[in-house]
Amino acid sequence: MRKLAERLGGNPELWGLVGLLHDLDYEETRENFRLHGVKAAERLEGKLPEEALEAIRAHNELTGYSSDSKLTLALKVADRVSGLIIATALVMPNKRLEEVKISSLKKKFKQKDFARSVNREEILTFAGKLKLGLEELLALSLEALKPIGGELGL
């Protein structure tokens, strides 16, 4: 999210916090996913600006909230593309993010049977709305994840 903020003219600190906190309510809402994002935003009320709360509520379409703000679109695309990157790292010989290349990600992106829960069409739609090409999005996202690979166990 910080890399996307830098690229898209957002606030890296705020966007980074949104990226870290958007799934704050996952354990609480996994039985009723329509509340996922709503409960997190409620917990964060008064601690983050409304644009951040809006993005957290709207990142899950099941909540009924919607937003096409840059922050919301960035959160949605980052959430999805990070799943593809992590799944790709997990099939590398040493299961390390350092092994992942853009070419590998592009190949895995085209393989519909790989990481099936990653919605490629949504990635392309959100990236397009942000005026990012797929290759640029993959490069930014991989660049952002590699330094924290150890923290992710990758």
Side-chain angles (χ1 to χ4, degrees):
M1 286 294 291
R2 289 173 189 260
K3 289 285 185 193
L4 286 172
E6 290 168 10
R7 167 62 176 81
L8 299 169
N11 176 331
E13 291 302 314
L14 178 62
W15 287 32
L17 283 172
V18 169
L20 285 172
L21 298 172
H22 77 281
D23 282 341
L24 178 70
D25 63 1
Y26 183 79
E27 290 297 318
E28 177 185 357
T29 60
R30 66 179 173 179
E31 300 297 323
N32 185 358
F33 216 62
R34 292 182 186 280
L35 296 176
H36 174 57
V38 175
K39 291 289 185 184
E42 287 173 2
R43 280 192 197 162
L44 296 166
E45 193 98 24
K47 296 177 176 88
L48 292 176
E50 182 55 36
E51 68 176 311
L53 301 176
E54 173 185 286
I56 291 169
R57 283 189 292 266
H59 90 278
N60 171 14
E61 286 81 13
L62 296 176
T63 64
Y65 288 91
S66 66
S67 169
D68 268 345
S69 74
K70 278 187 186 179
L71 177 52
T72 301
L73 293 169
L75 179 58
K76 288 179 175 186
V77 79
D79 207 18
R80 286 152 179 83
V81 79
S82 63
L84 178 72
I85 294 170
I86 290 168
T88 303
L90 290 172
V91 298
M92 292 287 126
N94 296 308
K95 299 183 183 342
R96 310 294 297 168
L97 278 169
E98 295 92 40
E99 297 175 277
V100 178
K101 307 280 186 255
I102 300 300
S103 58
S104 303
L105 291 173
K106 287 168 60 177
K107 183 178 176 182
K108 295 297 186 188
F109 188 88
K110 291 177 186 175
Q111 294 177 348
K112 303 299 181 206
D113 61 336
F114 177 78
R116 291 178 196 216
S117 66
V118 174
N119 189 320
R120 278 99 165 135
E121 194 163 310
E122 287 181 345
I123 289 173
L124 292 173
T125 297
F126 301 141
K129 286 182 178 184
L130 291 167
K131 300 192 180 358
L132 293 172
L134 178 61
E135 190 163 336
E136 181 181 11
L137 173 65
L138 294 173
L140 280 169
S141 302
L142 183 58
E143 179 186 337
L145 286 173
K146 278 186 176 182
I148 62 167
E151 295 171 47
L152 298 172
L154 302 168

Coordinates of all heavy atoms in Angstrom, one line a residue, residues 85-130:
I85 N 1.0 -13.1 -5.4 CA 2.4 -13.1 -5.1 C 2.8 -14.1 -4.1 O 3.8 -14.9 -4.2 CB 2.9 -11.7 -4.7 CG1 2.7 -10.8 -5.9 CG2 4.3 -11.7 -4.3 CD1 2.9 -9.3 -5.6
I86 N 2.1 -14.2 -3.0 CA 2.4 -15.1 -1.9 C 2.2 -16.6 -2.4 O 3.0 -17.4 -2.1 CB 1.5 -14.8 -0.7 CG1 2.1 -13.5 0.0 CG2 1.6 -16.0 0.4 CD1 1.2 -12.9 1.0
A87 N 1.1 -16.8 -3.1 CA 0.9 -18.2 -3.7 C 2.0 -18.6 -4.6 O 2.5 -19.7 -4.6 CB -0.4 -18.2 -4.4
T88 N 2.5 -17.6 -5.4 CA 3.6 -17.9 -6.3 C 4.9 -18.2 -5.5 O 5.6 -19.2 -5.8 CB 3.9 -16.7 -7.2 OG1 2.7 -16.5 -8.0 CG2 5.0 -17.0 -8.2
A89 N 5.2 -17.5 -4.4 CA 6.3 -17.7 -3.6 C 6.3 -19.1 -3.0 O 7.3 -19.8 -2.9 CB 6.5 -16.7 -2.5
L90 N 5.1 -19.5 -2.6 CA 4.9 -20.9 -2.0 C 5.2 -22.0 -2.9 O 5.4 -23.1 -2.4 CB 3.5 -21.0 -1.3 CG 3.3 -20.1 -0.1 CD1 1.8 -20.1 0.3 CD2 4.2 -20.5 1.0
V91 N 5.2 -21.8 -4.2 CA 5.5 -22.9 -5.1 C 6.9 -22.8 -5.6 O 7.3 -23.7 -6.4 CB 4.5 -23.0 -6.3 CG1 3.1 -23.3 -5.8 CG2 4.5 -21.8 -7.2
M92 N 7.7 -21.9 -5.2 CA 9.1 -21.8 -5.5 C 9.9 -22.8 -4.8 O 9.4 -23.3 -3.7 CB 9.6 -20.4 -5.2 CG 9.1 -19.2 -6.0 SD 9.7 -19.2 -7.7 CE 8.2 -19.3 -8.6
P93 N 11.0 -23.3 -5.3 CA 11.8 -24.4 -4.7 C 12.1 -24.1 -3.2 O 11.9 -25.0 -2.4 CB 13.1 -24.4 -5.5 CG 12.6 -23.9 -6.9 CD 11.6 -22.8 -6.6
N94 N 12.4 -22.9 -2.8 CA 12.8 -22.6 -1.4 C 11.7 -21.8 -0.7 O 11.9 -21.4 0.4 CB 14.1 -21.8 -1.3 CG 15.2 -22.7 -1.8 OD1 15.4 -23.8 -1.4 ND2 16.0 -22.1 -2.8
K95 N 10.5 -21.6 -1.4 CA 9.4 -20.9 -0.8 C 9.8 -19.5 -0.3 O 9.4 -19.2 0.8 CB 8.7 -21.8 0.3 CG 8.2 -23.1 -0.3 CD 7.5 -23.9 0.8 CE 6.9 -25.2 0.4 NZ 6.8 -25.6 -0.9
R96 N 10.5 -18.8 -1.1 CA 11.0 -17.5 -0.7 C 10.6 -16.4 -1.7 O 10.6 -16.7 -2.9 CB 12.5 -17.5 -0.6 CG 13.2 -18.6 0.2 CD 12.9 -18.5 1.6 NE 13.4 -17.3 2.2 CZ 13.1 -17.0 3.5 NH1 12.2 -17.7 4.2 NH2 13.6 -15.9 4.0
L97 N 10.2 -15.3 -1.2 CA 9.8 -14.2 -2.1 C 11.0 -13.7 -3.0 O 10.7 -13.3 -4.2 CB 9.3 -13.0 -1.3 CG 7.9 -13.0 -0.9 CD1 7.6 -11.9 0.1 CD2 6.9 -12.9 -2.1
E98 N 12.2 -13.9 -2.6 CA 13.4 -13.5 -3.4 C 13.4 -14.3 -4.7 O 14.0 -13.8 -5.6 CB 14.7 -13.7 -2.6 CG 14.9 -12.8 -1.4 CD 14.4 -13.5 -0.1 OE1 14.6 -14.8 0.0 OE2 13.8 -12.8 0.7
E99 N 12.8 -15.4 -4.7 CA 12.8 -16.3 -5.9 C 11.8 -15.8 -6.9 O 11.9 -16.2 -8.1 CB 12.5 -17.7 -5.5 CG 13.5 -18.4 -4.6 CD 13.1 -19.8 -4.2 OE1 12.3 -19.8 -3.3 OE2 13.5 -20.7 -4.8
V100 N 10.8 -15.1 -6.5 CA 9.7 -14.7 -7.4 C 10.2 -13.6 -8.4 O 10.8 -12.6 -8.0 CB 8.5 -14.2 -6.6 CG1 7.4 -13.8 -7.6 CG2 8.0 -15.3 -5.7
K101 N 9.9 -13.8 -9.7 CA 10.2 -12.9 -10.7 C 8.9 -12.4 -11.3 O 7.9 -13.1 -11.3 CB 11.1 -13.5 -11.8 CG 12.3 -14.2 -11.3 CD 13.4 -13.2 -11.0 CE 14.7 -13.9 -10.7 NZ 15.1 -13.8 -9.3
I102 N 9.0 -11.2 -12.0 CA 7.8 -10.7 -12.7 C 7.3 -11.7 -13.7 O 6.1 -11.9 -13.9 CB 8.1 -9.3 -13.3 CG1 8.6 -8.3 -12.3 CG2 6.9 -8.8 -14.1 CD1 7.6 -8.0 -11.2
S103 N 8.2 -12.3 -14.4 CA 7.9 -13.3 -15.5 C 7.1 -14.4 -14.8 O 6.1 -14.9 -15.5 CB 9.1 -13.8 -16.2 OG 10.0 -14.4 -15.3
S104 N 7.5 -14.9 -13.7 CA 6.7 -15.9 -13.0 C 5.3 -15.5 -12.6 O 4.4 -16.3 -12.8 CB 7.5 -16.4 -11.7 OG 8.8 -16.8 -11.9
L105 N 5.2 -14.3 -12.1 CA 3.9 -13.7 -11.8 C 3.0 -13.6 -13.0 O 1.8 -14.0 -12.9 CB 4.1 -12.4 -11.0 CG 4.7 -12.4 -9.7 CD1 4.9 -11.0 -9.2 CD2 3.8 -13.2 -8.7
K106 N 3.5 -13.1 -14.1 CA 2.7 -13.0 -15.3 C 2.3 -14.4 -15.8 O 1.1 -14.5 -16.2 CB 3.5 -12.3 -16.4 CG 3.7 -10.8 -16.1 CD 4.7 -10.1 -16.9 CE 4.4 -10.1 -18.4 NZ 5.4 -9.3 -19.2
K107 N 3.1 -15.3 -15.7 CA 2.8 -16.7 -16.1 C 1.7 -17.3 -15.2 O 0.7 -17.8 -15.6 CB 4.0 -17.6 -16.0 CG 3.8 -19.0 -16.5 CD 5.1 -19.8 -16.5 CE 4.9 -21.2 -16.9 NZ 6.1 -22.0 -16.8
K108 N 1.8 -17.1 -13.9 CA 0.9 -17.6 -12.9 C -0.5 -16.8 -13.0 O -1.5 -17.4 -12.8 CB 1.4 -17.5 -11.5 CG 2.6 -18.4 -11.2 CD 2.3 -19.8 -11.3 CE 3.4 -20.7 -10.9 NZ 3.2 -22.1 -11.2
F109 N -0.4 -15.6 -13.4 CA -1.6 -14.8 -13.5 C -2.5 -15.4 -14.6 O -3.7 -15.4 -14.6 CB -1.2 -13.3 -13.9 CG -2.4 -12.4 -13.9 CD1 -2.8 -11.7 -12.7 CD2 -3.1 -12.1 -15.1 CE1 -3.9 -10.9 -12.7 CE2 -4.2 -11.2 -15.1 CZ -4.6 -10.6 -13.9
K110 N -1.8 -15.9 -15.7 CA -2.5 -16.4 -16.8 C -3.1 -17.8 -16.5 O -4.0 -18.3 -17.2 CB -1.6 -16.5 -18.0 CG -1.3 -15.1 -18.6 CD -0.3 -15.3 -19.8 CE 0.1 -13.9 -20.3 NZ 1.2 -14.0 -21.3
Q111 N -2.5 -18.5 -15.5 CA -3.0 -19.9 -15.2 C -4.2 -19.8 -14.3 O -4.1 -19.6 -13.1 CB -1.8 -20.6 -14.5 CG -0.7 -20.9 -15.4 CD 0.4 -21.6 -14.7 OE1 0.4 -21.7 -13.4 NE2 1.4 -22.1 -15.4
K112 N -5.4 -20.0 -14.9 CA -6.6 -19.9 -14.1 C -6.7 -20.9 -13.0 O -7.4 -20.7 -12.0 CB -7.8 -19.9 -15.0 CG -7.8 -18.9 -16.1 CD -7.8 -17.5 -15.6 CE -7.9 -16.5 -16.8 NZ -7.3 -15.2 -16.5
D113 N -6.0 -22.0 -13.1 CA -6.1 -23.1 -12.1 C -5.1 -22.9 -11.0 O -5.1 -23.6 -10.0 CB -5.9 -24.5 -12.8 CG -4.5 -24.6 -13.4 OD1 -3.9 -23.6 -13.8 OD2 -4.1 -25.8 -13.6
F114 N -4.3 -21.8 -11.1 CA -3.4 -21.5 -10.0 C -4.0 -20.4 -9.1 O -4.5 -19.4 -9.6 CB -2.1 -21.0 -10.6 CG -1.1 -20.6 -9.5 CD1 -0.4 -21.6 -8.8 CD2 -0.9 -19.3 -9.2 CE1 0.5 -21.2 -7.8 CE2 0.0 -18.9 -8.2 CZ 0.7 -19.9 -7.5
A115 N -3.9 -20.6 -7.8 CA -4.5 -19.6 -6.9 C -5.9 -19.2 -7.3 O -6.1 -18.0 -7.6 CB -3.5 -18.4 -6.7
R116 N -6.8 -20.1 -7.4 CA -8.1 -19.9 -8.0 C -8.9 -18.8 -7.2 O -9.8 -18.2 -7.8 CB -8.9 -21.2 -7.9 CG -8.4 -22.2 -8.9 CD -9.2 -23.5 -8.8 NE -8.5 -24.5 -9.4 CZ -9.0 -25.5 -10.1 NH1 -10.4 -25.6 -10.2 NH2 -8.3 -26.4 -10.7
S117 N -8.6 -18.6 -6.0 CA -9.4 -17.6 -5.2 C -9.0 -16.1 -5.6 O -9.6 -15.2 -5.2 CB -9.3 -17.8 -3.7 OG -7.9 -17.6 -3.3
V118 N -7.9 -16.0 -6.3 CA -7.4 -14.7 -6.7 C -8.2 -14.3 -8.0 O -8.0 -14.9 -9.0 CB -5.9 -14.7 -7.0 CG1 -5.4 -13.3 -7.6 CG2 -5.1 -15.0 -5.7
N119 N -9.0 -13.3 -7.9 CA -9.8 -12.8 -9.0 C -9.0 -11.9 -10.0 O -8.8 -10.8 -9.7 CB -11.0 -12.1 -8.5 CG -12.1 -11.8 -9.6 OD1 -11.7 -11.5 -10.7 ND2 -13.3 -12.0 -9.2
R120 N -8.5 -12.5 -11.1 CA -7.7 -11.8 -12.0 C -8.5 -10.7 -12.7 O -7.9 -9.6 -12.9 CB -7.2 -12.8 -13.1 CG -6.0 -13.5 -12.7 CD -6.4 -14.9 -12.2 NE -5.2 -15.8 -12.2 CZ -5.0 -16.6 -11.2 NH1 -5.8 -16.7 -10.2 NH2 -3.9 -17.4 -11.2
E121 N -9.7 -10.9 -13.0 CA -10.5 -9.8 -13.6 C -10.6 -8.6 -12.7 O -10.5 -7.5 -13.2 CB -11.9 -10.3 -14.0 CG -12.6 -9.4 -14.9 CD -13.8 -10.1 -15.6 OE1 -13.6 -11.2 -16.1 OE2 -14.9 -9.5 -15.6
E122 N -10.8 -8.8 -11.4 CA -10.9 -7.7 -10.5 C -9.5 -7.0 -10.4 O -9.5 -5.7 -10.4 CB -11.3 -8.1 -9.1 CG -12.8 -8.5 -9.0 CD -13.2 -9.0 -7.6 OE1 -12.3 -9.3 -6.8 OE2 -14.4 -9.0 -7.4
I123 N -8.5 -7.7 -10.4 CA -7.1 -7.1 -10.4 C -7.0 -6.2 -11.6 O -6.6 -5.0 -11.5 CB -6.0 -8.2 -10.4 CG1 -6.0 -8.8 -9.0 CG2 -4.6 -7.5 -10.7 CD1 -5.0 -10.0 -8.9
L124 N -7.3 -6.7 -12.8 CA -7.2 -5.9 -14.0 C -8.1 -4.7 -14.0 O -7.8 -3.6 -14.4 CB -7.5 -6.7 -15.2 CG -6.5 -7.8 -15.6 CD1 -7.0 -8.7 -16.7 CD2 -5.1 -7.2 -15.9
T125 N -9.4 -4.9 -13.5 CA -10.3 -3.7 -13.4 C -9.8 -2.7 -12.4 O -9.8 -1.5 -12.8 CB -11.7 -4.3 -12.9 OG1 -12.2 -5.2 -13.9 CG2 -12.7 -3.1 -12.7
F126 N -9.4 -3.0 -11.2 CA -9.0 -2.1 -10.2 C -7.7 -1.4 -10.7 O -7.5 -0.2 -10.6 CB -8.8 -2.7 -8.9 CG -10.0 -3.3 -8.3 CD1 -10.0 -4.5 -7.6 CD2 -11.3 -2.7 -8.5 CE1 -11.1 -5.1 -7.1 CE2 -12.4 -3.3 -8.0 CZ -12.3 -4.5 -7.2
A127 N -6.7 -2.2 -11.3 CA -5.5 -1.6 -11.8 C -5.8 -0.6 -12.9 O -5.2 0.5 -12.9 CB -4.6 -2.7 -12.2
G128 N -6.7 -1.0 -13.8 CA -7.1 -0.1 -14.9 C -7.7 1.2 -14.4 O -7.4 2.3 -14.9
K129 N -8.5 1.2 -13.4 CA -9.1 2.4 -12.8 C -8.1 3.3 -12.2 O -8.2 4.5 -12.1 CB -10.2 2.0 -11.7 CG -11.5 1.5 -12.4 CD -12.5 1.2 -11.3 CE -13.8 0.8 -12.0 NZ -14.9 0.5 -11.0
L130 N -7.0 2.7 -11.7 CA -5.9 3.4 -11.1 C -4.8 3.8 -12.2 O -3.8 4.4 -11.9 CB -5.2 2.6 -10.0 CG -6.0 2.4 -8.8 CD1 -5.4 1.3 -7.9 CD2 -6.2 3.7 -8.0

